[in-house]
Amino acid sequence: MTSEAMGGAGEVEVRKDLDVVPLVPEAGSRSEARERRRAAHPERYALFSGLTMLVRLLLPLLGLGSLFAWLFDPIMRWMTDHVLPLFEPFAQWLQTVFAPVGRFLEWLFNLLFGWIPDISLGVPAWVMTTLRIGLLVLLAYFASRSNLKRRQKKLEEARIPESVGSSEPE
């Protein structure tokens, strides 16, 4: 079951085994008006969902990362000076134990992908990070659009038996 986070009446779905059945909103309710707007403009709602995902991904990268780095920098320096030396012998032991595994994985990687030539285009790392975030946003957009279409189809299927059943005398 899902609902809108900020206290509004959101969409509600009931899971029956592996099938998801959306509940049909009451006639004249805010939920029905929202469903009509979604059905009229599914691209707009999917794009809004994708842009919301972009903000959710970029805000921590841009603002909160620098804030936390500034706040936690003294703690990290203290831990590096005082706590890390305590774990140094254990880290060296782990390195000696897992060194053969690392060599094997390196050999396997070179065997599988070593024939591919290394092409360097001189693209800065931030461009690749931005492209990855953009791909995630596109994925969120297409997933949201697919979910809206699926929900609209399920709502139409749920309304059809309702209208058929109402024509029969009780």
Side-chain angles (χ1 to χ4, degrees), residues 12-136:
V12 177
E13 298 173 338
V14 176
R15 299 193 186 275
K16 182 180 179 184
D17 296 327
L18 294 177
D19 195 26
V20 176
V21 180
L23 297 179
V24 179
E26 289 185 24
S29 67
R30 289 183 354 193
S31 295
E32 183 192 31
R34 183 175 37 256
E35 288 296 332
R36 276 190 271 126
R37 287 192 306 267
R38 280 185 182 167
H41 306 285
E43 299 292 325
R44 179 188 305 164
Y45 279 88
L47 182 62
F48 180 74
S49 175
L51 290 176
T52 304
M53 181 61 69
L54 175 69
V55 169
R56 286 181 186 168
L57 290 172
L58 285 181
L59 185 65
L61 288 177
L62 298 178
L64 296 178
S66 62
L67 174 68
F68 287 140
W70 176 73
L71 287 174
F72 294 128
D73 189 42
I75 296 171
M76 286 302 296
R77 273 189 271 127
W78 181 85
M79 288 182 70
T80 304
D81 293 341
H82 295 91
V83 177
L84 194 58
L86 298 175
F87 290 101
E88 192 67 33
F90 181 69
Q92 288 175 354
W93 178 79
L94 279 178
Q95 187 175 9
T96 58
V97 169
F98 288 117
V101 175
R103 286 193 300 271
F104 171 74
L105 291 176
E106 183 181 351
W107 172 81
L108 184 63
F109 185 79
N110 284 334
L111 180 69
L112 296 175
F113 303 111
W115 58 273
I116 299 173
D118 185 26
I119 300 174
S120 176
L121 300 176
V123 178
W126 66 268
V127 173
M128 295 307 291
T129 303
T130 305
L131 285 176
R132 287 183 188 129
I133 290 172
L135 286 175
L136 286 174

